[in-house]
Amino acid sequence: MGAFNGKTVLVTGGASGIGAATVRRAAADGGRVLIADVAEEAGSALAAETGARFVRTDVTRFADMEAAVAAAVETGGLDVLHLNAGVTGPSEGLADQGVPFSLEAYRTAVAVNLDGVVHGVHAALPHMRRREGASVVVTSSLAGLTGTPYGEVYAATKHAVVGLVRSLAGTFPDDPVTFNAVCPGFVDTPMTAGIQDFIERIGKADTVIPPEAVADLVERIVAERGDGEAWIPYKGGAARYGFADPLSLMGERPPGVEGR
């Protein structure tokens, strides 16, 4: 599609996994690409491979996100912001197995998965509003659209960013900048490397997709210019998630809901 051609593209968590796949795709399309990540060695190596620029960025620090956005703007303006940095989170249910709750792990998950997205949006919006073709794409997860046993904190952060994306689209309906989310299931990345046995045990090994499939979808979203949407990539394609409109049900009981 060449949706990145001639555009400045900033990818957080861009040194590996889905982020790296987007970096490679955008660079191959002719984009001016910046990799924002804490992994200096991997990020620098990918920059050398693709002709991109690496900017060491801790997305939990607003000043770091401001600096990464400023670096992108210096190249001629920021066109595409892929807020992709993410980590797993602690499970409340593991307390039943003698594993204590980790406040540090909880705060890290929220800081990276939610604060990092909010930081990115606030740093970038002044430069992306009223910019034709501007696009913000957030990596959420299927866990952001459904319940996730033993991944409750992770799911909470991913639900939050889907809500953020949809709300931002409603806040700026007449502005050319768009906001969308990609919500993959299991992707062959370092994040899922430690749960391969679990994926096989629940019978989902055949659903694992390569990170390039998610990069394909990011490019499609940028090209098609939808707004406030959540997309699910799967083997062989992608589907737009159909949200109900709860506002249309105000004043009446939703179907299937009992009680007051």
Side-chain angles (χ1 to χ4, degrees), residues 8-10 69 72-73 75-81 124 127-128 131 134-135:
T8 300
V9 183
L10 174 61
V69 167
V73 171
T75 69
L78 180 56
D79 300 293
V80 179
L81 175 63
H127 307 283
M128 299 185 77
R131 187 173 179 85
S135 180

Side-chain angles (χ1 to χ4, degrees), residues 186 191-200:
F186 295 120
M191 188 177 289
T192 60
I195 60 170
Q196 293 301 318
D197 290 345
F198 169 76
I199 295 172
E200 292 180 8

Side-chain angles (χ1 to χ4, degrees), residues 13-226:
S16 64
I18 293 169
T22 301
V23 166
R24 290 188 174 97
R25 176 59 53 81
D29 277 356
R32 299 178 296 273
V33 187
L34 288 89
I35 304 165
D37 206 303
V38 293
E40 296 187 41
E41 185 175 346
S44 297
L46 183 61
E49 171 198 330
T50 59
R53 176 181 173 187
F54 173 70
V55 181
R56 190 193 184 284
T57 307
D58 179 348
V59 298
T60 71
R61 295 173 54 84
F62 184 58
D64 277 22
M65 273 307 315
E66 284 187 309
V69 167
V73 171
E74 288 173 2
T75 69
L78 180 56
D79 300 293
V80 179
L81 175 63
H82 184 190
L83 294 168
N84 168 76
V87 295
T88 57
S91 172
E92 306 290 349
L94 292 180
D96 295 336
Q97 302 175 29
V99 179
F101 172 69
S102 171
L103 185 58
E104 181 180 2
Y106 164 74
R107 285 179 170 162
T108 297
V110 173
V112 176
N113 296 352
L114 178 54
D115 294 350
V117 173
V118 173
H119 292 168
V121 167
H122 277 275
L125 262 184
H127 307 283
M128 299 185 77
R129 288 195 63 192
R130 293 176 289 276
R131 187 173 179 85
E132 290 299 326
S135 180
V136 177
V137 182
V138 178
T139 300
S140 180
S141 168
L142 270 180
L145 301 172
T146 186
T148 307
Y150 295 99
E152 309 91 349
V153 171
Y154 178 78
T157 62
K158 294 303 184 178
H159 273 78
V161 297
V162 169
L164 179 66
V165 161
R166 298 183 70 207
S167 299
L168 284 166
T171 300
F172 303 104
D174 301 319
D175 196 284
V177 63
T178 60
F179 306 89
N180 294 281
V182 289
C183 301
F186 295 120
V187 184
D188 186 13
T189 67
M191 188 177 289
T192 60
I195 60 170
Q196 293 301 318
D197 290 345
F198 169 76
I199 295 172
E200 292 180 8
R201 189 166 65 251
I202 64 174
K204 297 297 183 181
D206 62 342
T207 69
V208 178
I209 61 175
E212 290 75 19
V214 186
D216 287 345
L217 180 53
V218 172
E219 183 175 27
R220 176 179 173 182
I221 289 169
V222 172
E224 293 187 358
R225 306 293 301 151

